[in-house]
Amino acid sequence: MSKAIYPGSFDPMTCGHLDVIRRSSEIFDELIVCVLNNVNKTTLFSVEERVNILIDYAKSKNIHVVVRGLRAITDFEYELQIAQTNRKLSGDWLDTMFLTTSLEYAYLSSSTVKEIASFAGDISECVPDFVAEMVYEKYGVKR
């Protein structure tokens, strides 16, 4: 049985994240999506809220898989260092597989979504509808 983990902050979960989750779940028998609490980031949603958002999505997709979603080469440099550290700390047991997002989502980041939403911009093509509603609510934006 092949297993993988997809860790991330998912603040908020974007269509790019969903693309990596969907494609990873087709590659591995089991996909575990881990919501990280990065103390170096100021988040819009609490860890509990982000977990609940992912649970709502995962329930409909039967997802329980280390896979990292990459947007650009700058992401790769950072993720490569983490992958090599994880491999070393695990005694060569843990491998990391890099899966790039589909081209249609390569521009997309949670930070960009938050910035657009904070100015009442249209994020409907960036996140699922239910996530957009939650993001707008956090910013007090009436749509």
Side-chain angles (χ1 to χ4, degrees):
M1 176 182 224
S2 61
K3 297 180 183 181
I5 301 168
Y6 179 22
S9 57
F10 306 105
D11 185 50
M13 176 182 64
T14 69
C15 291
H17 294 131
L18 296 178
D19 175 60
V20 171
I21 289 169
R22 179 190 56 78
R23 291 171 41 231
S24 297
S25 67
E26 293 171 357
I27 296 170
F28 297 95
D29 297 323
E30 183 177 4
L31 171 65
I32 301 167
V33 180
C34 298
V35 178
L36 304 178
N37 183 20
N38 186 340
V39 295
N40 296 318
K41 287 186 176 182
T42 302
T43 59
L44 183 63
F45 293 98
S46 70
V47 171
E48 184 177 338
E49 289 172 315
R50 289 180 277 146
V51 167
N52 288 334
I53 289 169
L54 282 164
I55 287 172
D56 288 346
Y57 174 77
K59 280 181 182 177
S60 66
K61 304 297 180 186
N62 194 26
I63 296 173
H64 269 325
V65 143
V66 171
V67 176
R68 294 288 297 170
L70 305 177
R71 288 183 308 272
I73 193 68
T74 52
D75 285 351
F76 178 75
E77 292 171 1
Y78 174 73
E79 296 298 339
L80 178 61
Q81 183 179 20
I82 291 173
Q84 291 168 334
T85 301
N86 287 339
R87 178 95 176 145
K88 182 71 172 170
L89 291 174
S90 73
D92 293 334
W93 174 81
L94 181 66
D95 273 319
T96 299
M97 179 180 173
F98 295 97
L99 188 65
T100 59
T101 58
S102 295
L103 188 56
E104 65 186 300
Y105 304 119
Y107 71 95
L108 193 54
S109 72
S110 294
S111 298
T112 302
V113 169
K114 290 186 279 192
E115 186 171 356
I116 294 167
S118 72
F119 291 103
D122 182 10
I123 59 171
S124 63
E125 293 188 30
C126 303
V127 297
D129 292 340
F130 77 96
V131 173
E133 290 175 24
M134 295 174 73
V135 171
Y136 288 132
E137 184 178 316
K138 288 284 186 179
Y139 287 112
V141 173
K142 305 287 184 205
R143 302 274 312 160

